[in-house]
Amino acid sequence: MPNKLDASVWIPAIHKSGRPLYLSIVDALAADISSGMLRAGSRLPTQRRLASALGIDFTTVTRAYTEAQRRGLVEGRVGLGTYVKAQSAPPPPTAATGPIDLSTNWPPHFRDQPLIARIWQGVASLETSGGLDLLLSYQEAGGTASDRAAGASWLSRPFPSLSPERVLVCPGAQSALFAIAGQLAGPGDTICAGAMTYPGFRSLAAHQGWRLVPVAMDDEGLIPEAFDEVCLRHQPKALYTTPTLHNPTTATLPAYRREVIAAIARAHNVPIIEDDAYGKLPLQPPPPPLAAFAPELTYYVSSLAKCLSPALRVAYVVPPDRSAATRVTGALRATMSMTSPLSAAIATRWIQDGTADAVLAAIRAEMNERQEIARAVLPPNLIRAHPEGLHVWLRLPPPWTRGAFMTQLHAAGISVTSSDVFTLEAPPEAVRLSLGRANSLAELRRGLETIATLLTEQPAISATMV
């Protein structure tokens, strides 16, 4: 048996592996607990003592201890320190083969416990600042002055000098799209969109009786010449597009195409509905929005769902002018009444005190790790992705079809999204893999490794093995 160690003088053996240093400390701690080197109930060195012994920053050790506590390796005792926790029995082998959801495009759970505590502290503090007014009152459709000012601050990267008066606060992007498009098109009217398009807008169009006409796309996104041709042939009432980190292809429309598309829209007097659901995720700023090239035509929509919290149901809209803002506000008032005052107040508080930026940074960091796993596991010639994006677009090699591929994945307990739900024309043999929904990095790796193995098989052979 291994010799027991006085945990108070424990110094982990750190190996250079390319992983963040705090995770290497946690890995070393887990290994020494597993080997029996560290006993349950033993007191670990203080964070400052361990930081000094390792010659590293105090906050790195704090982050390591926080992650170790999240994993159930240690427990903190108020005023006493951090102790090795008794480990429960390992899960049965079948636990490693449970269902893995790669179908839903949610932001990931991040592992920064102090930030999580800060989030809830911000919510609790609303009791003293907002009181019962946040629960027992109505507010004007379009948002209060303070909520609009917070929205203008949140959108300062794409709109450096945005006035709060130009911002509308909406109860989520879907309601914003409903209110905007409903002012531009009626039943039987044509709206054009990329050949691969957000399913939520497809559902909205079907519900409202709009006719969606596809605009051809390539690896850079919408093809300007194809948009011009659609305008000439169909006289659409609007163009709907997601120019940054397109869902599902991950394409980001370059600046020169944005400028050309804006010029075509202006020439044909076609309003643009710009859905910037993912625009906050890239660490490096994307090109200016279409609203910067055709401000008089563009309805810009930015939701908090993908970059902060889907539960808040808050989106910010920048209409082209005051008249358009009045019409959209009227539609919101008639259909949704208002954005939840409580949700809007939470978003405003987080934006004002920096919590929103911290959460965004945590989501970016977590997605970086998840995208690194995807790049390491999946064939690079078959995928398109972005380092901070929430999903991967996987093109299936012949003779795989999306139906056969998804059938085999379903048998393996893995769910993904077929190209069928996005396409306005013949669907390509491809699937979307959403990386944020997996419960852990280990679960994500296990799912992606299953997918990578399946790609090396022939469909008929695979069907006999799974």
Side-chain angles (χ1 to χ4, degrees), residues 199-419:
F201 194 78
R202 292 187 63 198
S203 297
L204 189 58
H207 183 267
Q208 294 298 105
W210 305 324
R211 175 171 170 256
L212 287 184
V213 173
V215 177
M217 302 173 65
D218 59 18
D219 286 347
E220 288 190 326
L222 291 179
I223 300 173
E225 294 79 7
F227 174 47
D228 188 44
E229 178 65 22
V230 167
C231 289
L232 288 169
R233 293 184 59 187
H234 299 281
Q235 295 81 50
K237 297 294 185 179
L239 165 68
Y240 169 78
T241 182
T242 305
T244 299
L245 291 187
H246 177 262
N247 178 21
T249 68
T250 78
T252 291
L253 202 65
Y256 80 93
R257 282 202 184 184
R258 297 181 188 222
E259 185 174 9
V260 174
I261 286 171
I264 294 170
R266 186 177 292 114
H268 294 282
N269 195 31
V270 175
I272 299 171
I273 305 172
E274 181 173 13
D275 187 351
D276 200 21
Y278 303 92
K280 294 285 284 189
L281 290 175
L283 186 59
Q284 297 300 319
L290 286 163
F293 297 104
E296 78 281 12
L297 286 174
T298 305
Y299 295 78
Y300 175 90
V301 182
S302 177
S303 167
L304 299 183
K306 307 302 183 184
C307 60
L308 190 56
S309 169
L312 289 183
R313 309 311 304 154
V314 171
Y316 302 111
V317 172
V318 182
D321 53 41
R322 182 172 297 180
S323 176
T326 299
R327 293 193 300 273
V328 173
T329 301
L332 289 171
R333 185 184 298 110
T335 56
M336 309 291 176
S337 180
M338 63 178 182
T339 304
S340 162
L342 181 59
S343 291
I346 292 171
T348 294
R349 173 60 59 90
W350 288 351
I351 292 170
Q352 290 174 340
D353 68 13
T355 300
D357 285 331
V359 171
L360 176 59
I363 290 173
R364 283 173 178 160
E366 179 69 21
M367 288 315 306
N368 258 305
E369 288 193 63
R370 294 180 180 228
Q371 289 285 357
E372 285 177 7
I373 293 172
R375 287 195 298 272
V377 172
L378 299 174
N381 61 312
L382 298 180
I383 64 172
R384 291 201 61 188
H386 185 280
E388 289 92 39
L390 298 185
H391 62 273
V392 170
W393 185 234
L394 174 65
R395 294 164 172 161
L396 302 177
W400 276 109
T401 64
R402 60 198 184 281
F405 194 71
M406 292 186 65
T407 296
Q408 297 310 310
L409 286 182
H410 178 75
I414 299 172
S415 58
V416 301
T417 305
S418 170
S419 62

